[in-house]
Amino acid sequence: MSKTGLLRSYVVSNWPVYLAAVVLIIASNVGQASLPRILGSFTDQLMQNTLQMNTVIRYSLWLLAIAIAYNLLFGTGQFMIMRLGRRFEFMTRERIFGKFSELSEHYFSKQGNGKLLSYVMNDVTSVREAISNGVTMMTNATFLLISCIVMMLLSGIPMSLILISIVPLLAIPFLVVFFGPRIRKRSRDVQDALANMTESAEEQLGGIRVTKTFAIEDGARARFGATVDAIKEKQLRLVRLSSLFQALLPLLGAISLVVSLLVGGILTMQNSITLGSFVALTLYLRIIMGPLQQIGNVINTMQRSGASLERVNDLLTEEPDVREVSGAKTLNAVNDITIEDLSFSYPGSSASALKHISLKIGAGQTVGIVGKTGSGKSTLVKLLLRTYEPPEGTIRMNGTDIRQLSLESLRSRIAYVPQDGFLFSTTIRDNIAFSDREVPLDTVERSARQAMIYDNIIRFPDQFDTLLGERGLTLSGGQRQRTSLARGLIKKAQVLILDDSMSAVDAVTESGILRSLREIGKGKTTLIISHRISAVRHADEIIVLDEGQIAEQGTHSQLMAAEGLYAATYRLQEEGLHHEGS
């Protein structure tokens, strides 16, 4: 897609409406451009003392008819263009959100939420203003200018006088060529600064509790203030340039008016033209001042929106790192998972997150994965879910490379419960039933009991209809994790992955959850990732990761007998529990 591909495709698909609107605006300007000619004719009859009452009434009715026609035609054309602008805004925001859903985790790891919001809010609004206000003003100004020049020729004003009067206006194209690219570049800088400020505001508001507990409000204000100052500086640079440009265009119109007054006045005194023609000329040039001002505003608006349009087009042409192959297969069931010689490095990193991992997980098997922070546990899960693309042929389900499977069928067969337990700003019921909002309440309650969160929920006045604050901050950390776990359990998936999703719950609650998992997990393939040995000790097989490699592998009893890293970690954690209990 080209830099203007998004806008061009929209205009082309709606060209009949745009054409009709432009025709209406042109028609309104033709009528308005005849006003000076009518007034000039009226002036000549007045000077010749040939006016009669019926003539005055006729001229008055003409002026009234022109005013009514102008407002009806221009108003209708403007409404049609404004409506198209709002439709563009709506459709583009939907396309942007759709694009966000296509992009992989790697893209979002490089972008802050504020920058992403800036696309949806600032950039789309800027483009919409250009294709609604900009198109209306440019059409109105251009054809009013042309209509005035045509009417001047039809009014009997000498061609030489018209040419002399409009000579200063010939400098306009050169000013546009000079100022246009510079205004666009500075507008792009402003939009980037706005994105940085939005990101900073989102970050500061999200961390306001941490800021207050550390009593560093002044530091937070200073960091946010720095982004505001950056916007101010860039906006001032833009305003200085755009204001100069907008001032020069009316100046050219004023020079044109001065020339017409000087030359036209002399010709009138010499009786080379009538007083009516002189009045018409000055009125035409006075009318032209308005379009010139509008053209300056429109060009500034277009250049600013051009910078936003480039940003939006760049986003929409962003290629996701994880893509479905043509003719991707549908995964109907998960019988086994095979990982063979899997090595992986994150994009842009030279260090290997995983090294030569080989593992076979049978249907209905429970596998525990333990290891210290940074050992590659979560990376392995991301590759199973294809939020990052694994090397070809390294991960297979039912013997098929997961890169050959459709993303929807792959991810719908897996229920993933992450550590952070993100919750949406809606009711507890909607959060638990996230994968299927139509499930009955008793099913939601059953999942809540399995996740050991039911008793906490029913203590709220609105119980399952309790509205959560942003990111679920109404609940404690452990309650958020258990609600997130209930969301994973309610999804009837064949594979359940718990990614350290019980790290914020106490040992007693964890024990109860694990009992529930053993009961409901029969026949379901379960991967339990944890830094706690207690969470995985009952697994059919335990994998110990260290520095991205499998250091040990076996059952709990086998690994304890091996007296290796697993056994050492287990004793250290048991010793910690004894100290806490004493």
Side-chain angles (χ1 to χ4, degrees):
M1 186 183 291
S2 66
K3 294 295 183 182
T4 57
L6 172 67
L7 185 55
R8 185 185 298 113
S9 63
Y10 181 76
V11 173
V12 169
S13 64
N14 292 279
W15 72 265
V17 183
Y18 272 111
L19 179 61
V22 168
V23 168
L24 289 173
I25 294 174
I26 292 172
S28 71
N29 284 317
V30 171
Q32 189 181 23
S34 65
L35 285 173
R37 185 182 181 187
I38 294 172
L39 291 173
S41 177
F42 180 84
T43 302
D44 283 339
Q45 290 194 35
L46 179 64
M47 293 300 295
Q48 296 167 7
N49 293 319
T50 58
L51 280 179
Q52 296 179 357
M53 181 56 67
N54 63 336
T55 307
V56 173
I57 293 173
R58 187 171 68 251
Y59 276 112
S60 299
L61 290 175
W62 280 351
L63 295 177
L64 179 62
I66 289 171
I68 293 174
Y70 173 80
N71 283 281
L72 285 175
L73 293 171
F74 181 80
T76 304
Q78 184 181 44
F79 169 77
M80 293 169 69
I81 290 177
M82 292 289 187
R83 187 171 180 272
L84 285 171
R86 290 295 179 179
R87 280 188 59 205
F88 172 84
E89 185 177 42
F90 167 75
M91 293 171 62
T92 304
R93 282 178 174 153
E94 281 199 328
R95 284 190 64 181
I96 288 175
F97 190 81
K99 188 65 178 182
F100 286 159
S101 67
E102 294 173 7
L103 293 171
S104 61
E105 185 175 321
H106 175 58
Y107 176 83
F108 294 104
S109 68
K110 300 183 296 180
Q111 309 290 334
N113 288 341
K115 288 185 177 180
L116 300 177
L117 286 172
S118 185
Y119 285 114
V120 179
M121 304 301 295
N122 302 330
D123 291 321
V124 175
T125 299
S126 178
V127 178
R128 188 262 302 163
E129 289 175 351
I131 66 171
S132 52
N133 295 333
V135 170
T136 301
M137 292 171 64
M138 181 60 81
T139 303
N140 184 59
T142 301
F143 285 96
L144 182 56
L145 190 62
I146 295 172
S147 298
C148 285
I149 294 174
V150 172
M151 286 298 180
M152 279 194 283
L153 294 172
L154 297 177
S155 298
I157 301 171
M159 176 67 74
S160 58
L161 179 56
I162 295 174
L163 291 176
I164 292 172
S165 298
I166 66 173
V167 161
L169 306 183
L170 299 178
I172 291 177
F174 298 98
L175 293 177
V176 171
V177 170
F178 177 80
F179 283 96
R182 290 165 175 80
I183 291 174
R184 173 173 291 208
K185 182 181 182 305
R186 295 190 184 187
S187 297
R188 178 77 184 237
D189 293 340
V190 169
Q191 292 303 113
D192 289 340
L194 279 170
N196 290 333
M197 186 204 69
T198 308
E199 181 179 12
S200 176
E202 195 271 340
E203 183 181 68
Q204 298 299 334
L205 291 172
I208 193 67
R209 292 167 180 79
V210 177
T211 300
K212 287 183 173 295
T213 54
F214 278 81
I216 53 171
E217 289 89 345
D218 291 340
R221 279 194 292 268
R223 285 192 294 274
F224 181 70
T227 63
V228 174
D229 290 340
I231 290 178
K232 181 185 72 174
E233 177 60 31
K234 287 177 170 55
Q235 283 181 331
L236 287 176
R237 292 182 70 245
L238 173 61
V239 166
R240 282 194 290 268
L241 191 64
S242 59
S243 297
L244 175 61
F245 175 62
Q246 286 182 254
L248 286 175
L249 295 186
L251 175 62
L252 294 176
I255 294 172
S256 180
L257 183 59
V258 169
V259 171
S260 70
L261 287 173
L262 179 62
V263 179
I266 293 172
L267 293 177
T268 304
M269 288 187 294
Q270 293 175 349
N271 294 320
S272 298
I273 61 173
T274 65
L275 179 62
S277 295
F278 177 67
V279 169
L281 175 65
T282 54
L283 286 175
Y284 276 124
L285 292 174
R286 187 67 188 89
I287 290 175
I288 286 173
M289 297 281 287
L292 290 177
Q293 183 70 47
Q294 285 186 345
I295 288 173
N297 290 333
V298 169
I299 290 174
N300 275 328
T301 301
M302 291 295 186
Q303 295 300 330
R304 287 195 294 270
S305 69
S308 293
L309 185 60
E310 286 181 7
R311 282 167 46 87
V312 173
N313 274 304
D314 288 343
L315 170 66
L316 293 178
T317 54
E318 183 78 29
E319 290 291 339
D321 299 305
V322 179
R323 288 180 297 219
E324 285 188 3
V325 297
S326 177
K329 300 176 182 177
T330 300
L331 181 66
N332 296 313
V334 181
N335 297 322
D336 59 75
I337 301 171
T338 304
I339 301 172
E340 186 176 348
D341 196 26
L342 170 62
S343 296
F344 176 77
S345 298
Y346 283 102
S349 174
S350 58
S352 295
L354 293 173
K355 305 170 189 174
H356 308 292
I357 303 295
S358 293
L359 177 66
K360 186 174 179 62
I361 303 171
Q365 192 176 12
T366 298
V367 175
I369 303 176
V370 296
K372 62 185 179 181
T373 301
S375 61
K377 304 186 299 295
S378 295
T379 300
L380 183 58
V381 172
K382 291 175 181 178
L383 295 175
L384 283 171
L385 288 164
R386 283 189 70 194
T387 54
Y388 282 88
E389 196 75 280
E392 186 175 359
T394 54
I395 302 179
R396 291 185 173 87
M397 289 188 179
N398 307 339
T400 302
D401 187 348
I402 64 171
R403 291 168 57 124
Q404 303 299 317
L405 302 173
S406 69
L407 290 171
E408 189 277 333
S409 68
L410 171 66
R411 292 171 183 171
S412 65
R413 299 286 176 267
I414 301 174
Y416 173 58
V417 184
Q419 180 180 3
D420 58 12
F422 179 90
L423 299 178
F424 296 90
S425 302
T426 181
T427 64
I428 295 176
R429 176 177 179 173
D430 284 346
N431 268 284
I432 294 176
F434 180 70
S435 59
D436 182 6
R437 296 286 175 86
E438 302 302 320
V439 298
L441 180 59
D442 59 341
T443 304
V444 175
E445 291 176 346
R446 182 166 61 251
S447 295
R449 287 190 178 93
Q450 292 166 348
M452 304 290 287
I453 188 63
Y454 178 83
D455 291 339
N456 298 101
I457 294 173
I458 60 173
R459 292 193 187 104
F460 293 120
D462 295 326
Q463 298 185 1
F464 282 87
D465 291 323
T466 300
L467 283 170
L468 301 180
E470 185 176 2
R471 297 176 181 269
L473 293 178
T474 307
L475 306 178
S476 68
Q479 289 172 337
R480 286 198 299 274
Q481 275 198 341
R482 283 177 284 155
T483 303
S484 176
L485 176 60
R487 179 170 61 198
L489 296 177
I490 203 173
K491 183 179 180 182
K492 303 304 181 184
Q494 292 176 289
V495 179
L496 174 64
I497 300 177
L498 307 180
D499 189 358
D500 217 2
S501 51
M502 293 178 284
S503 59
V505 302
D506 58 76
V508 175
T509 304
E510 180 189 62
S511 178
I513 293 172
L514 290 172
R515 279 197 303 271
S516 296
L517 289 176
R518 285 194 291 272
E519 293 172 4
I520 65 176
K522 295 175 181 177
K524 179 180 291 190
T525 304
T526 306
L527 274 69
I528 303 175
I529 298 169
S530 179
H531 64 278
R532 290 182 184 173
I533 300 295
S534 57
V536 302
R537 61 180 299 175
H538 297 291
D540 299 318
E541 187 171 21
I542 300 170
I543 308 298
V544 182
L545 289 179
D546 187 42
E547 302 294 335
Q549 297 176 301
I550 296 180
E552 296 175 329
Q553 184 174 353
T555 63
H556 174 74
S557 57
Q558 290 171 341
L559 293 174
M560 288 299 296
E563 293 291 338
L565 179 61
Y566 179 89
T569 304
Y570 176 77
R571 293 192 182 95
L572 186 63
Q573 291 181 3
E574 286 294 302
E575 183 179 346
L577 288 174
H578 289 314
H579 279 301
E580 289 177 8
S582 60

